[in-house]
């Protein structure tokens, strides 16, 4: 059987190589072909199938072949997108942004050439810039669509391709938002219909926008805040080797805050992300340099963006001086509570895997609430009057009229506004969390995340959870089991004080179980309730690991 597989792999690789417009990728494939049969497994993986649009668009390893991010794949993706836009009758320019990852600028420029080759105007952002600036530009320039070349917080060997639809195609609630079905399937079908990457007509490099688009974003970001609010706050900040630093510092200045202290060895864009194992502020150790700087500078608040600055992480000092990162659910509820108190009208939304506390907060305050599937492409479509949306993975939308996606810059500004206001009262973010806990109980959340090398392991674990579901959790009978198959691979278990949501990650080779434990606060003793909740999460983690067999 091995020689037959080798022949099949060789034929697929030779056909791709002949059509690949990138000399470096052709050389990479030629070397693998020449080493067959030893490379049969590697080549089979590269030709197992094309990358598809997941939770956050097209994303994969930088490597030659259809199952990777490379110039041929990007050429086909751009041609399919541009062709689909024409089929929909969409008029207007395509706006394109890119981060500082390997290949990002090249992929963005190729996308522009494909667009102009098809007769459509292409507008490129003037430099490496955050994803929220691209999302803003789609709306500000009345573009038919937008492309952002980024892999967000993925490892250095990855890159990706996010697609946004403008008002002409996205509808009133989807204006400037990421694609959802059926658009994603339609674009994928159009990509499959591109017969040859080398045969795609290429035009000029498009128009490089000037700095007015960034200035407009910064001005709008600063205007999200109350102009009369306090600004006395000392902030430490890191962009984690990404592209958010310049934009965040400019936005802080425009809003009237002092310049944050920036982690020096993480300040400049670097596609290798040399100081972190994973460039994701959720990962253990990723914020170590930041909290060290915050301690040295006596900061009130520590803020991190992920590499494309669509996410925002915050750490706060404890009574003992140790810094504690806030969970995404904690910051999400703090921001929602702040906006509700500020009188921001509209619907407040989160996802099925986020804490249930936002729903309880909205019910108590008489504010509309919505819950969606995972992903900001769903959150921003939760309601046409969306006021705020968040997901537990450090994504926050505090200004949906400006950016209809998660935005780590405006989130950072808003949490700074909240912290500065509390500081004038001698209080902190931690104090406000305690007040919410007294009112609603401690809603403690955690995540069991399992990274795999073989995606089949995820399917096997989900199968085990479905065939042998948990009957009890933390000693209490499971009162509700919700299985969202076949529409979505999501499984939920509930008891009166516990919730578990299990799903595969849409952006990484991970299986995720989202854990929540609710503990009432007796006699105002928040610390005791938090201790009970922490112990409950540990028990729950072990129980769910056993159910999944991981």
């Amino acid at each position: 059987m091995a020689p037959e597989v080798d022949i099949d792999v060789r034929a697929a690789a030779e056909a791709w190589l002949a059509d690949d417009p990138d000399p470096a990728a052709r050389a990479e494939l030629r070397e693998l072909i020449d080493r067959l049969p030893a490379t049969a497994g590697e080549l089979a993986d590269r030709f197992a199938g094309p990358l598809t649009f997941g939770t956050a668009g097209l994303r994969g390893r930088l490597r030659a072949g259809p199952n990777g991010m490379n110039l041929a794949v990007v050429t086909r993706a751009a041609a399919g997108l541009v062709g689909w836009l024409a089929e929909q009758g969409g008029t207007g320019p395509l706006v394109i942004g890119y981060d500082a990852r390997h290949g990002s600028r090249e992929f963005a420029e190729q996308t522009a050439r494909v667009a102009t080759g098809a007769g459509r105007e292409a507008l490129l952002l003037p430099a490496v810039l955050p994803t929220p600036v691209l999302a803003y530009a789609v709306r500000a320039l009345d573009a038919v669509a937008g492309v952002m070349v980024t892999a967000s917080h993925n490892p250095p060997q990855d890159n990706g391709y996010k697609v946004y639809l403008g008002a002409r195609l996205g509808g009133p609630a989807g204006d400037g938002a990421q694609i959802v079905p059926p658009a994603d399937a339609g674009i994928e079908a159009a990509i499959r219909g591109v017969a040859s990457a080398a045969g795609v007509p290429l035009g000029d490099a498009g128009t490089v926008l000037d700095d007015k688009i960034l200035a407009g974003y910064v001005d709008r970001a600063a205007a999200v805040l109350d102009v009369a609010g306090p600004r006395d706050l000392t902030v430490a900040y890191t962009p984690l080797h990404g592209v958010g630093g310049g934009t965040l510092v400019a936005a802080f200045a425009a809003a009237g805050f002092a310049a944050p202290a920036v982690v020096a060895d993480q300040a400049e864009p670097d596609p290798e992300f040399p100081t972190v194992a994973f460039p994701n502020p959720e990962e253990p150790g990723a914020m170590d340099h930041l909290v060290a700087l915050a301690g040295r500078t006596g900061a009130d608040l520590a803020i991190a963006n992920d590499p494309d600055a669509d996410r925002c992480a915050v750490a706060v000092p404890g009574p003992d001086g140790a810094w504690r990162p806030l969970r995404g659910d904690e910051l999400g509820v703090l921001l929602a509570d702040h906006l509700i108190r500020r009188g921001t009208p509209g619907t407040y939304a989160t996802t099925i895997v986020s804490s249930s506390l936002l729903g309880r907060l909205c019910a108590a305050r008489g504010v509309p609430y919505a819950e969606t599937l995972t992903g900001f492409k769903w959150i921003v479509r939760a309601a046409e009057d969306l006021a705020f949306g968040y997901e537990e993975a450090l994504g926050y939308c505090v200004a949906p009229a400006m950016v209809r996606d998660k935005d780590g810059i405006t989130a950072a500004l808003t949490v700074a506004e909240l912290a500065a206001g509390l500081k004038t009262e001698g209080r902190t973010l931690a104090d406000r969390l305690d007040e919410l806990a007294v009112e609603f109980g401690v809603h403690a959340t955690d995540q069991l995340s399992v990274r795999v090398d073989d995606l089949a392991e995820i399917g096997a674990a989900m199968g085990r959870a479905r065939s042998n579901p948990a009957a009890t959790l933390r000693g209490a009978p499971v009162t509700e089991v919700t299985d969202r198959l076949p529409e979505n691979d999501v499984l939920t278990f509930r008891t009166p004080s516990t919730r578990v949501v299990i799903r595969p990650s849409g952006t990484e080779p991970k299986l995720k179980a989202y854990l929540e434990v609710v503990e009432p606060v007796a006699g105002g003793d928040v610390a005791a309730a938090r201790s009970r909740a922490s112990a409950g999460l540990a028990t729950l983690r072990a129980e769910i690991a056993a159910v999944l067999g991981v």
Side-chain angles (χ1 to χ4, degrees):
M1 291 297 293
E4 182 178 347
V5 172
D6 293 346
I7 291 169
D8 291 342
V9 169
R10 181 187 295 273
E14 291 279 10
W16 185 272
L17 185 151
D19 186 54
D20 197 316
D22 183 1
R26 292 199 301 271
E28 181 185 332
L29 273 183
R30 172 51 59 196
E31 191 269 339
L32 290 170
I33 292 169
D34 289 347
R35 290 198 297 113
L36 281 169
T39 56
E42 170 68 15
L43 281 172
D45 183 54
R46 293 180 184 227
F47 287 87
L51 294 180
T52 57
F53 286 96
T55 303
L58 201 67
R59 195 175 293 188
R61 287 180 58 190
L62 287 157
R63 59 180 184 173
N67 193 19
M69 282 295 297
N70 54 68
L71 198 66
V73 164
V74 166
T75 301
R76 290 170 178 267
L81 171 63
V82 170
W84 181 84
L85 292 172
E87 290 174 2
Q88 308 308 306
T91 59
L94 178 68
V95 61
I96 306 157
Y98 56 98
D99 67 8
R101 284 179 177 268
H102 294 299
S104 288
R105 180 169 182 171
E106 181 184 19
F107 295 160
E109 291 174 343
Q110 184 76 347
T111 299
R113 286 190 287 268
V114 171
T116 58
R120 186 175 296 276
E121 183 182 10
L123 306 175
L124 276 86
L125 295 189
V128 293
L129 286 168
T131 292
V133 177
L134 182 278
Y136 164 78
V138 173
R139 295 169 66 87
L141 300 173
D142 193 24
V144 66
V147 168
M148 182 68 193
V149 183
T150 179
S152 191
H153 58 280
N154 275 38
Q157 63 267 27
D158 290 356
N159 213 326
Y161 203 78
K162 292 183 178 181
V163 175
Y164 296 78
L165 294 182
R168 303 162 190 259
L169 293 173
D175 175 10
Q178 290 187 54
I179 58 171
V180 293
D184 55 357
I187 294 169
E188 283 187 33
I191 293 169
R192 289 194 299 271
V194 177
S196 165
V200 172
L202 302 179
D204 61 45
T207 301
V208 178
L209 297 166
D210 59 28
D211 290 337
K212 290 180 182 177
I213 192 68
L214 177 59
Y217 171 87
V218 168
D219 289 345
R220 288 285 303 274
V224 169
L225 307 188
D226 179 356
V227 69
R231 297 290 190 267
D232 177 20
L233 196 72
T234 303
V235 175
Y237 170 71
T238 179
L240 281 183
H241 301 293
V243 298
T247 304
L248 181 133
V249 170
F252 265 58
F257 284 102
V262 181
V263 176
D265 60 357
Q266 297 175 341
E268 296 301 319
D270 188 331
E272 290 298 317
F273 308 107
T275 68
V276 290
F278 286 94
N280 180 352
E282 289 183 291
E283 295 284 345
M287 293 173 67
D288 286 355
H289 290 219
L290 173 64
V291 296
L293 175 65
R296 291 195 305 271
T297 57
D300 301 305
L301 196 63
I303 297 175
N305 286 136
D306 68 336
D308 70 328
D310 64 350
R311 301 183 187 214
C312 176
V314 167
V316 295
D320 59 356
W323 285 77
R324 179 178 78 86
L326 297 182
R327 297 197 63 82
D329 285 315
E330 291 178 310
L331 183 54
V333 170
L334 281 171
L335 290 172
D337 175 66
H338 175 58
L339 293 173
I340 291 170
R341 286 169 176 264
R342 229 175 58 179
T344 304
T347 298
Y348 288 68
T350 191
T351 72
I352 59 172
V353 304
S354 300
S355 172
S356 58
L357 179 53
L358 179 60
R360 295 191 63 188
L361 174 70
C362 289
R365 305 290 188 263
V367 171
Y369 170 75
E371 195 170 282
T372 75
L373 295 173
T374 307
F376 254 86
K377 60 186 181 182
W378 300 116
I379 292 172
V380 298
R381 291 177 168 90
E384 291 190 20
D385 69 340
L386 185 70
F388 170 76
Y390 95 89
E391 62 182 0
E392 54 76 40
L394 306 180
Y396 314 95
C397 176
V398 301
M402 172 190 167
V403 172
R404 220 156 181 89
D405 197 10
K406 54 185 176 289
D407 182 348
I409 305 296
T410 53
L413 285 173
T414 307
V415 74
E417 176 184 58
L418 169 59
L422 290 169
K423 184 179 178 180
T424 64
E425 302 167 0
R427 299 157 65 224
T428 65
L429 296 180
D431 293 330
R432 184 66 194 126
L433 282 172
D434 284 351
E435 293 166 4
L436 289 168
V438 170
E439 185 175 0
F440 298 107
V442 170
H443 287 62
T445 59
D446 200 358
Q447 189 181 120
L448 172 63
S449 181
V450 182
R451 186 178 290 271
V452 301
D453 295 321
D454 182 357
L455 291 178
E457 297 174 37
I458 293 177
M462 292 296 292
R464 288 190 290 270
R466 287 188 166 98
S467 61
N468 189 25
T472 63
L473 293 173
R474 298 200 301 136
V478 171
T479 54
E480 180 184 338
V481 178
T482 304
D483 191 343
R484 294 179 182 264
L485 276 178
E487 291 82 7
N488 293 279
D489 193 6
V490 180
L491 189 60
T492 304
F493 302 123
R494 293 179 186 271
T495 77
S497 63
T498 304
R499 190 203 62 188
V500 178
V501 184
I502 307 169
R503 62 179 281 271
S505 170
T507 57
E508 298 177 89
K510 285 182 177 181
L511 176 65
K512 294 185 175 183
Y514 303 84
L515 317 176
E516 182 174 37
V517 168
V518 181
E519 285 286 342
V521 175
D525 192 344
V526 176
R530 291 195 190 283
S531 179
R532 293 194 304 273
S534 179
L537 284 173
T539 299
L540 186 59
R541 172 184 285 268
E543 291 175 334
I544 295 303
V547 168
L548 293 170
V550 297

